[in-house]
Amino acid sequence: RRRIAPRGIAGGEDGATGENRIDGESVPAKTTREVAADTTVTVRTPGGGGHGDPTERDPALVERDRADEKTGIDEP
């Protein structure tokens, strides 16, 4: 799930792909490196795909998700 995002179903949006970084530089999913103690290693796990068309949800719930940055929907 580093190259292809998890698929949404029934009109749901695709999830986010995962990402690995060492000091801000993108690295492959399977890699071995020695790093210094002050190195920043970031692992962003993939997000799950959505289920159902988000525009058909209760507008208040969509707005809450938008405020929490959980959806890419710009308009209710």
Side-chain angles (χ1 to χ4, degrees):
R1 298 293 178 208
R2 298 298 195 255
R3 286 179 276 141
I4 300 171
R7 296 283 186 199
I9 60 172
E13 297 177 357
D14 291 347
T17 56
E19 180 180 34
N20 301 331
R21 292 184 168 272
I22 297 176
D23 281 338
E25 176 190 343
S26 185
V27 295
K30 296 178 182 178
T31 191
T32 300
R33 294 208 185 158
E34 289 189 30
V35 297
D38 62 345
T39 301
T40 300
V41 177
T42 304
V43 178
R44 294 186 176 145
T45 57
H51 180 270
D53 185 342
T55 62
E56 294 178 7
R57 293 181 65 223
D58 178 327
L61 296 176
V62 173
E63 182 56 38
R64 183 185 70 194
D65 286 349
R66 185 180 304 108
D68 290 341
E69 298 181 7
K70 293 181 179 179
T71 180
I73 300 173
D74 293 325
E75 301 279 332

